[in-house]
Amino acid sequence: MNHLALATLLPALLCAASPALAQDFVFGGFARNIYSDTPIPDSAPSPREAVGLITAGPLEVTLESTTLDEVTKAFGGEVRETGQAGDHVLWVCYAAPDHTVWFGSSGEMSDGAVAMVAASTEKALPEWGCAPAPQQLGVPNLGLPSLGGSIANVKRLLGEAPGTGDLVYMRITPEPANPDTQQQQVITFSQDGGRISGMGVSQVTSN
């Protein structure tokens, strides 16, 4: 190939490669394990009312209402995304010295609104694309036992759950304004030595 042909072809090759280069980040860790838009069979029904207002530092988060843009406005960071159609996920995550916090959204179902909030004691990996956690963020308060708390307290509050790994509780309720519309909320706890090592809640409303 002569130099003129190469000079003509190179810009096209760079343009073709740029989408792949822009999608280097991975939705991983505890958040990836818990976030699902489909019913989870290995779960227990939640005996409590659905998780409502979530506080994350100074920010009040309402699932499927507060947006990821509002999260980044409060705490910085960038919204990452991966996948297409039903696998399309958007998220922003924050890396603290002793835990990681995620806010996630289904690109197909939630359209940029926060549909998942999670925190875990695992250390953030570079490929997750997390920003340093600002001091004011802390660990989101779901109104439930938090990181480092006792798994026994979770079971006293929510009951036993199937399996020997994560504790998963699911609540499906009809929307008051539209009985044909269902809200599915899934609460998940991971455990390590009887202590909570991860906690999160995801929610999707569908017909």
Side-chain angles (χ1 to χ4, degrees):
M1 182 180 293
N2 62 42
H3 292 297
L4 180 60
L6 181 60
T8 304
L9 181 60
L10 186 57
L13 291 174
L14 291 175
C15 289
S18 60
L21 294 174
Q23 197 165 327
D24 288 337
F25 297 106
V26 175
F27 182 55
F30 176 72
R32 174 61 181 169
N33 293 340
I34 73 166
Y35 192 29
S36 174
D37 287 340
T38 58
I40 299 173
D42 194 17
S43 63
S46 173
R48 289 170 53 92
E49 292 297 315
V51 172
L53 189 66
I54 298 169
T55 55
L59 182 66
E60 294 184 338
V61 177
T62 301
L63 294 174
E64 299 185 281
S65 178
T66 303
T67 66
L68 291 177
D69 286 341
E70 290 177 87
V71 173
T72 58
K73 183 177 180 180
F75 304 120
E78 293 185 43
V79 176
R80 312 298 188 184
E81 63 180 306
T82 188
Q84 296 179 346
D87 294 325
H88 186 197
V89 178
L90 301 95
W91 78 94
V92 58
C93 57
Y94 299 93
D98 58 354
H99 66 273
T100 303
V101 176
W102 293 265
F103 300 87
S105 175
S106 164
E108 184 175 50
M109 299 292 291
S110 305
D111 195 27
V114 176
M116 183 276 297
V117 178
S120 169
T121 56
E122 63 193 322
K123 185 177 179 63
L125 298 180
E127 57 261 35
W128 298 347
C130 300
Q135 187 173 4
Q136 70 268 29
L137 172 55
V139 177
N141 182 354
L142 309 183
L144 295 167
S146 190
L147 296 182
S150 170
I151 285 291
N153 285 340
V154 174
K155 292 181 178 180
R156 277 194 287 268
L157 186 65
L158 299 177
E160 294 287 342
T164 58
D166 292 351
L167 304 180
V168 182
Y169 303 89
M170 182 167 59
R171 182 182 181 87
I172 298 179
T173 54
E175 285 286 279
N178 184 359
D180 293 329
T181 300
Q182 287 189 332
Q183 180 190 88
Q184 174 188 297
Q185 189 175 100
V186 178
I187 301 168
T188 306
F189 292 90
S190 63
Q191 54 186 314
D192 182 9
R195 295 289 169 181
I196 300 168
S197 58
M199 61 172 197
V201 57
S202 64
Q203 179 175 295
V204 61
T205 301
S206 61
N207 294 326

